[in-house]
Coordinates of all heavy atoms in Angstrom, one line a residue:
K297 N -1.0 1.1 13.1 CA -1.9 1.3 12.0 C -3.3 1.8 12.4 O -4.0 2.4 11.6 CB -2.0 0.1 11.1 CG -0.8 -0.4 10.5 CD -0.9 -1.7 9.8 CE 0.4 -2.2 9.3 NZ 0.2 -3.5 8.6
L298 N -3.7 1.4 13.6 CA -5.1 1.7 14.0 C -5.3 3.2 14.1 O -4.6 3.9 14.8 CB -5.4 1.1 15.4 CG -5.6 -0.4 15.4 CD1 -5.8 -0.9 16.8 CD2 -6.8 -0.7 14.6
G299 N -6.4 3.6 13.4 CA -6.8 5.0 13.5 C -5.9 6.0 12.8 O -6.1 7.2 12.9
R300 N -4.9 5.5 12.1 CA -4.0 6.5 11.4 C -4.1 6.4 9.9 O -4.0 7.5 9.3 CB -2.5 6.1 11.8 CG -2.2 6.2 13.2 CD -0.8 5.8 13.5 NE -0.5 5.7 14.9 CZ -0.1 6.8 15.6 NH1 0.2 7.9 15.0 NH2 0.2 6.7 16.9
C301 N -4.3 5.3 9.3 CA -4.3 5.2 7.9 C -5.8 5.3 7.4 O -6.6 4.4 7.6 CB -3.7 3.8 7.5 SG -3.7 3.6 5.7
K302 N -6.1 6.4 6.7 CA -7.4 6.6 6.2 C -7.8 5.6 5.1 O -8.9 5.2 5.0 CB -7.6 8.0 5.8 CG -7.6 9.0 6.9 CD -7.9 10.4 6.4 CE -8.0 11.3 7.6 NZ -8.3 12.7 7.3
R303 N -6.7 5.2 4.3 CA -7.0 4.3 3.3 C -7.4 2.9 3.8 O -8.4 2.3 3.3 CB -5.7 4.1 2.4 CG -6.0 3.2 1.2 CD -4.8 3.2 0.3 NE -5.0 2.4 -0.8 CZ -4.1 2.1 -1.7 NH1 -2.9 2.6 -1.6 NH2 -4.4 1.4 -2.8
C304 N -6.8 2.5 4.9 CA -7.1 1.2 5.5 C -8.5 1.3 6.1 O -9.3 0.4 6.1 CB -6.1 0.9 6.6 SG -4.5 0.4 6.0
M305 N -8.9 2.5 6.7 CA -10.2 2.7 7.3 C -11.3 2.6 6.2 O -12.3 2.1 6.4 CB -10.2 4.0 8.1 CG -9.4 3.9 9.3 SD -9.2 5.5 10.2 CE -10.8 5.7 10.9
W306 N -11.0 3.2 5.1 CA -12.0 3.2 4.0 C -12.2 1.8 3.4 O -13.3 1.4 3.1 CB -11.6 4.2 2.9 CG -12.0 5.6 3.2 CD1 -11.1 6.6 3.5 CD2 -13.3 6.2 3.3 NE1 -11.8 7.8 3.7 CE2 -13.1 7.5 3.6 CE3 -14.6 5.6 3.1 CZ2 -14.2 8.3 3.8 CZ3 -15.6 6.5 3.3 CH2 -15.5 7.8 3.7
L307 N -11.0 1.1 3.3 CA -11.1 -0.3 2.8 C -11.9 -1.2 3.8 O -12.7 -2.0 3.4 CB -9.7 -0.9 2.6 CG -9.0 -0.4 1.4 CD1 -7.5 -0.9 1.4 CD2 -9.7 -0.9 0.1
N308 N -11.7 -1.0 5.1 CA -12.4 -1.7 6.1 C -13.9 -1.3 6.1 O -14.8 -2.2 6.2 CB -11.8 -1.5 7.5 CG -12.4 -2.4 8.5 OD1 -12.8 -3.5 8.2 ND2 -12.6 -1.8 9.7
L309 N -14.2 -0.1 5.9 CA -15.6 0.3 5.8 C -16.3 -0.3 4.6 O -17.5 -0.7 4.7 CB -15.7 1.9 5.7 CG -17.2 2.4 5.7 CD1 -17.9 2.1 7.0 CD2 -17.1 3.9 5.4
T310 N -15.6 -0.4 3.5 CA -16.2 -1.0 2.3 C -16.4 -2.5 2.5 O -17.5 -3.0 2.2 CB -15.2 -0.8 1.1 OG1 -14.9 0.6 0.9 CG2 -15.7 -1.4 -0.2
L311 N -15.5 -3.1 3.2 CA -15.7 -4.6 3.5 C -16.8 -4.7 4.5 O -17.6 -5.7 4.3 CB -14.4 -5.1 4.1 CG -14.5 -6.6 4.6 CD1 -14.6 -7.5 3.5 CD2 -13.2 -6.9 5.4
L312 N -17.0 -3.8 5.4 CA -18.1 -3.9 6.4 C -19.4 -3.8 5.7 O -20.3 -4.5 5.9 CB -17.9 -2.8 7.4 CG -18.9 -2.7 8.5 CD1 -18.9 -4.0 9.4 CD2 -18.7 -1.5 9.4
I313 N -19.5 -2.8 4.8 CA -20.8 -2.6 4.1 C -21.1 -3.7 3.1 O -22.3 -4.2 3.1 CB -20.7 -1.2 3.3 CG1 -20.7 -0.1 4.3 CG2 -21.9 -1.1 2.4 CD1 -20.5 1.3 3.7
C314 N -20.1 -4.2 2.4 CA -20.4 -5.3 1.5 C -20.7 -6.6 2.2 O -21.6 -7.3 1.7 CB -19.1 -5.5 0.6 SG -18.8 -4.2 -0.6
S315 N -20.1 -6.9 3.3 CA -20.4 -8.1 4.0 C -21.8 -8.0 4.7 O -22.5 -8.9 4.7 CB -19.3 -8.4 5.0 OG -19.2 -7.4 6.0
A316 N -22.1 -6.8 5.2 CA -23.5 -6.6 5.8 C -24.6 -6.7 4.7 O -25.6 -7.4 4.9 CB -23.6 -5.2 6.4
A317 N -24.3 -6.1 3.5 CA -25.3 -6.3 2.5 C -25.4 -7.7 2.0 O -26.6 -8.2 1.8 CB -25.0 -5.3 1.3
G318 N -24.3 -8.4 1.8 CA -24.3 -9.8 1.4 C -25.0 -10.7 2.4 O -25.8 -11.5 2.0
W319 N -24.7 -10.5 3.7 CA -25.4 -11.3 4.7 C -26.8 -11.0 4.7 O -27.6 -11.9 4.9 CB -24.7 -11.0 6.0 CG -25.3 -11.8 7.1 CD1 -25.1 -13.2 7.3 CD2 -26.2 -11.4 8.1 NE1 -25.8 -13.6 8.4 CE2 -26.5 -12.6 8.9 CE3 -26.7 -10.2 8.5 CZ2 -27.3 -12.5 10.0 CZ3 -27.6 -10.2 9.6 CH2 -27.9 -11.3 10.3
Y320 N -27.3 -9.8 4.6 CA -28.7 -9.4 4.6 C -29.4 -10.1 3.5 O -30.5 -10.7 3.7 CB -28.9 -7.9 4.5 CG -30.3 -7.5 4.4 CD1 -31.1 -7.6 5.6 CD2 -30.9 -7.1 3.2 CE1 -32.5 -7.2 5.5 CE2 -32.3 -6.8 3.2 CZ -33.0 -6.8 4.3 OH -34.3 -6.5 4.3
F321 N -28.9 -10.1 2.3 CA -29.6 -10.8 1.2 C -29.5 -12.3 1.3 O -30.4 -13.0 0.8 CB -29.0 -10.3 -0.1 CG -29.4 -8.9 -0.5 CD1 -28.4 -7.9 -0.6 CD2 -30.7 -8.5 -0.6 CE1 -28.8 -6.6 -0.9 CE2 -31.1 -7.2 -0.8 CZ -30.1 -6.2 -1.0
L322 N -28.5 -12.9 1.8 CA -28.3 -14.3 1.9 C -29.0 -14.9 3.2 O -29.3 -16.1 3.2 CB -26.9 -14.7 1.8 CG -26.2 -14.6 0.5 CD1 -24.8 -15.0 0.5 CD2 -26.9 -15.4 -0.6
Q323 N -29.2 -14.1 4.2 CA -29.8 -14.6 5.4 C -31.3 -14.8 5.3 O -31.9 -15.3 6.2 CB -29.4 -13.7 6.6 CG -30.1 -12.4 6.6 CD -31.4 -12.3 7.3 OE1 -31.7 -13.1 8.1 NE2 -32.2 -11.3 7.1
Q324 N -31.9 -14.5 4.2 CA -33.3 -14.7 4.0 C -33.7 -16.2 4.2 O -34.8 -16.5 4.7 CB -33.7 -14.3 2.6 CG -33.3 -12.8 2.2 CD -34.2 -11.8 2.9 OE1 -35.3 -12.0 3.3 NE2 -33.6 -10.6 3.1
S325 N -32.8 -17.1 3.8 CA -33.1 -18.5 3.9 C -32.6 -19.0 5.3 O -32.8 -20.2 5.6 CB -32.4 -19.3 2.8 OG -31.0 -19.1 2.9
G326 N -32.0 -18.2 6.1 CA -31.6 -18.6 7.4 C -30.1 -18.9 7.4 O -29.5 -19.2 6.4
P327 N -29.4 -18.8 8.6 CA -28.0 -19.0 8.6 C -27.6 -20.5 8.6 O -26.9 -21.0 9.5 CB -27.6 -18.3 9.9 CG -28.8 -18.5 10.8 CD -30.0 -18.4 9.8
R328 N -28.1 -21.2 7.6 CA -27.7 -22.7 7.5 C -26.7 -22.9 6.5 O -26.1 -24.0 6.4 CB -29.0 -23.5 7.2 CG -30.0 -23.4 8.4 CD -31.2 -24.2 8.0 NE -32.3 -23.8 8.9 CZ -33.3 -23.0 8.5 NH1 -33.3 -22.6 7.3 NH2 -34.3 -22.7 9.3
Q329 N -26.5 -22.0 5.6 CA -25.5 -22.2 4.5 C -24.2 -21.7 4.9 O -24.0 -20.8 5.8 CB -26.0 -21.4 3.3 CG -27.3 -21.8 2.7 CD -27.8 -20.9 1.6 OE1 -27.2 -19.9 1.4 NE2 -28.8 -21.4 0.9
V330 N -23.1 -22.3 4.4 CA -21.8 -22.0 4.7 C -21.5 -20.6 4.3 O -20.8 -19.8 5.0 CB -20.8 -23.0 4.0 CG1 -19.4 -22.5 4.3 CG2 -21.0 -24.4 4.6
E331 N -22.0 -20.1 3.2 CA -21.7 -18.8 2.7 C -22.3 -17.7 3.6 O -21.7 -16.7 3.9 CB -22.3 -18.6 1.3 CG -21.7 -19.5 0.2 CD -22.5 -20.8 0.1 OE1 -23.5 -20.9 0.8 OE2 -22.1 -21.6 -0.7
T332 N -23.5 -18.0 4.1 CA -24.1 -17.1 5.0 C -23.3 -16.9 6.4 O -23.1 -15.8 6.9 CB -25.5 -17.5 5.3 OG1 -26.2 -17.7 4.1 CG2 -26.3 -16.5 6.1
I333 N -22.9 -18.1 6.9 CA -22.1 -18.0 8.1 C -20.8 -17.4 7.9 O -20.3 -16.6 8.8 CB -22.0 -19.5 8.7 CG1 -23.3 -20.0 9.0 CG2 -21.1 -19.5 9.9 CD1 -23.4 -21.5 9.3
A334 N -20.1 -17.6 6.8 CA -18.9 -16.9 6.5 C -19.0 -15.4 6.4 O -18.2 -14.7 6.9 CB -18.3 -17.5 5.2
L335 N -20.1 -15.0 5.7 CA -20.4 -13.5 5.6 C -20.7 -12.9 7.0 O -20.3 -11.8 7.3 CB -21.5 -13.3 4.6 CG -21.2 -13.3 3.2 CD1 -22.4 -13.2 2.3 CD2 -20.3 -12.1 2.9
L336 N -21.4 -13.7 7.8 CA -21.7 -13.2 9.2 C -20.4 -13.0 10.0 O -20.2 -12.0 10.6 CB -22.6 -14.1 9.9 CG -23.0 -13.8 11.3 CD1 -23.7 -12.4 11.4 CD2 -23.8 -14.8 11.9
L337 N -19.5 -14.0 9.9 CA -18.2 -13.9 10.6 C -17.3 -12.8 10.0 O -16.6 -12.1 10.8 CB -17.5 -15.2 10.5 CG -18.1 -16.4 11.3 CD1 -17.3 -17.6 11.1 CD2 -18.2 -16.0 12.8
T338 N -17.4 -12.6 8.7 CA -16.7 -11.5 8.1 C -17.2 -10.1 8.6 O -16.5 -9.2 8.9 CB -16.8 -11.5 6.5 OG1 -16.3 -12.8 6.1 CG2 -16.0 -10.4 5.9
F339 N -18.5 -10.0 8.6 CA -19.2 -8.8 9.1 C -18.8 -8.5 10.6 O -18.4 -7.4 10.9 CB -20.7 -8.9 9.0 CG -21.4 -7.8 9.7 CD1 -21.4 -6.6 9.1 CD2 -22.1 -8.0 10.8 CE1 -22.1 -5.5 9.7 CE2 -22.8 -7.0 11.4 CZ -22.8 -5.7 10.9
L340 N -18.8 -9.6 11.4 CA -18.4 -9.4 12.8 C -16.9 -9.0 13.0 O -16.6 -8.1 13.8 CB -18.7 -10.6 13.6 CG -20.2 -11.0 13.8 CD1 -20.3 -12.3 14.5 CD2 -20.9 -9.9 14.5
A341 N -16.1 -9.6 12.2 CA -14.6 -9.2 12.3 C -14.4 -7.8 11.8 O -13.6 -7.1 12.4 CB -13.8 -10.3 11.5
S342 N -15.0 -7.5 10.7 CA -14.7 -6.1 10.1 C -15.4 -5.1 11.0 O -14.8 -3.9 11.1 CB -15.2 -6.0 8.7 OG -16.6 -6.3 8.6
S343 N -16.5 -5.4 11.6 CA -17.1 -4.4 12.5 C -16.2 -4.2 13.8 O -16.1 -3.1 14.3 CB -18.5 -4.7 12.9 OG -18.5 -6.0 13.6
L344 N -15.6 -5.3 14.3 CA -14.7 -5.1 15.4 C -13.5 -4.3 15.1 O -13.1 -3.4 15.8 CB -14.3 -6.5 15.9 CG -13.3 -6.5 17.1 CD1 -13.9 -5.9 18.3 CD2 -12.8 -7.9 17.4
L345 N -12.9 -4.6 13.9 CA -11.8 -3.8 13.4 C -12.1 -2.3 13.2 O -11.4 -1.4 13.6 CB -11.2 -4.4 12.1 CG -10.0 -3.8 11.6 CD1 -8.8 -3.8 12.6 CD2 -9.6 -4.4 10.3
M346 N -13.3 -2.1 12.7 CA -13.8 -0.7 12.5 C -13.9 0.0 13.9 O -13.6 1.2 14.0 CB -15.1 -0.6 11.7 CG -15.5 0.8 11.4 SD -14.3 1.8 10.6 CE -14.4 1.2 9.0
L347 N -14.5 -0.7 14.9 CA -14.6 -0.1 16.2 C -13.2 0.2 16.8 O -13.0 1.3 17.4 CB -15.4 -1.0 17.1 CG -16.9 -1.1 16.9 CD1 -17.5 -2.2 17.8 CD2 -17.5 0.3 17.2
L348 N -12.2 -0.6 16.6 CA -10.9 -0.4 17.0 C -10.3 0.8 16.3 O -9.6 1.7 16.9 CB -10.0 -1.6 16.8 CG -10.3 -2.8 17.8 CD1 -9.4 -4.0 17.3 CD2 -10.0 -2.4 19.2
H349 N -10.5 1.0 15.0 CA -10.0 2.1 14.3 C -10.7 3.4 14.8 O -10.0 4.4 15.0 CB -10.3 2.0 12.8 CG -9.3 1.3 12.0 ND1 -8.0 1.7 11.8 CD2 -9.4 0.1 11.3 CE1 -7.4 0.9 11.1 NE2 -8.1 -0.1 10.7
I350 N -12.0 3.4 15.0 CA -12.7 4.6 15.4 C -12.2 5.0 16.8 O -12.0 6.1 17.1 CB -14.2 4.4 15.3 CG1 -14.6 4.3 13.9 CG2 -14.9 5.5 16.1 CD1 -16.1 3.9 13.7
G351 N -12.1 4.0 17.7 CA -11.6 4.2 19.1 C -10.2 4.8 19.1 O -9.9 5.8 19.8
A352 N -9.3 4.3 18.3 CA -7.9 4.8 18.2 C -8.0 6.3 17.6 O -7.2 7.1 18.1 CB -7.0 3.9 17.4
Y353 N -8.8 6.5 16.6 CA -8.9 7.8 16.0 C -9.4 8.8 17.0 O -8.8 9.9 17.1 CB -9.8 7.8 14.8 CG -9.8 9.1 14.0 CD1 -8.7 9.4 13.2 CD2 -10.8 10.0 14.1 CE1 -8.7 10.6 12.4 CE2 -10.8 11.1 13.4 CZ -9.8 11.4 12.6 OH -9.8 12.6 11.9
I354 N -10.4 8.5 17.8 CA -10.9 9.4 18.8 C -9.9 9.6 19.9 O -9.7 10.7 20.4 CB -12.2 8.8 19.4 CG1 -13.3 8.9 18.4 CG2 -12.6 9.5 20.7 CD1 -14.6 8.2 18.8
Y355 N -9.1 8.6 20.3 CA -8.0 8.7 21.2 C -7.0 9.7 20.8 O -6.6 10.6 21.6 CB -7.4 7.3 21.5 CG -6.2 7.4 22.4 CD1 -6.3 7.6 23.7 CD2 -4.9 7.3 21.8 CE1 -5.1 7.7 24.5 CE2 -3.8 7.3 22.6 CZ -3.9 7.5 23.9 OH -2.8 7.6 24.7
Y356 N -6.6 9.6 19.5 CA -5.6 10.6 19.0 C -6.2 12.0 19.0 O -5.5 13.0 19.2 CB -5.2 10.2 17.6 CG -4.4 8.9 17.6 CD1 -4.7 7.9 16.7 CD2 -3.3 8.7 18.4 CE1 -4.0 6.8 16.7 CE2 -2.6 7.6 18.4 CZ -2.9 6.6 17.5 OH -2.2 5.4 17.5
R357 N -7.5 12.1 18.7 CA -8.1 13.5 18.7 C -8.2 14.0 20.1 O -8.0 15.2 20.3 CB -9.5 13.4 18.1 CG -9.5 13.2 16.6 CD -8.9 14.4 16.0 NE -8.9 14.2 14.5 CZ -8.6 15.2 13.7 NH1 -8.2 16.4 14.1 NH2 -8.6 14.9 12.4
L358 N -8.5 13.2 21.1 CA -8.5 13.7 22.5 C -7.1 14.0 23.0 O -7.0 14.9 23.9 CB -9.1 12.6 23.4 CG -10.6 12.4 23.2 CD1 -11.1 11.2 24.1 CD2 -11.4 13.6 23.5
R359 N -6.1 13.4 22.4 CA -4.7 13.8 22.8 C -4.3 15.1 22.0 O -3.2 15.5 22.1 CB -3.7 12.7 22.4 CG -3.8 11.6 23.4 CD -2.8 10.5 23.2 NE -1.5 11.1 23.0 CZ -0.5 10.5 22.4 NH1 -0.6 9.4 21.7 NH2 0.7 11.1 22.3
R360 N -5.2 15.6 21.2 CA -5.0 16.8 20.5 C -3.9 16.7 19.4 O -3.2 17.6 19.1 CB -4.7 18.0 21.3 CG -5.8 18.3 22.3 CD -5.5 19.6 23.1 NE -6.3 19.7 24.3 CZ -7.5 20.2 24.3 NH1 -8.0 20.6 23.2 NH2 -8.2 20.3 25.4
V361 N -3.9 15.5 18.8 CA -3.1 15.3 17.6 C -3.9 15.7 16.4 O -4.9 15.1 16.1 CB -2.6 13.8 17.5 CG1 -1.8 13.6 16.2 CG2 -1.9 13.4 18.7
A362 N -3.5 16.8 15.7 CA -4.3 17.3 14.6 C -4.3 16.4 13.5 O -5.4 16.2 12.9 CB -3.7 18.7 14.2

Side-chain angles (χ1 to χ4, degrees):
K297 296 178 188 179
L298 282 177
R300 297 177 187 271
C301 181
K302 289 186 180 182
R303 184 174 183 185
C304 292
M305 291 172 73
W306 281 110
L307 285 172
N308 188 34
L309 181 64
T310 304
L311 177 66
L312 180 66
I313 291 171
C314 290
S315 63
W319 182 72
Y320 176 75
F321 288 118
L322 288 178
Q323 67 95 17
Q324 305 288 334
S325 62
R328 295 182 199 101
Q329 299 173 345
V330 174
E331 299 89 4
T332 307
I333 296 169
L335 278 172
L336 179 61
L337 292 176
T338 304
F339 172 71
L340 292 175
S342 61
S343 62
L344 177 64
L345 183 59
M346 183 55 75
L347 284 174
L348 288 173
H349 271 297
I350 292 171
Y353 187 78
I354 290 172
Y355 172 74
Y356 293 131
R357 288 295 180 171
L358 289 176
R359 285 185 51 205
R360 301 186 194 274
V361 176

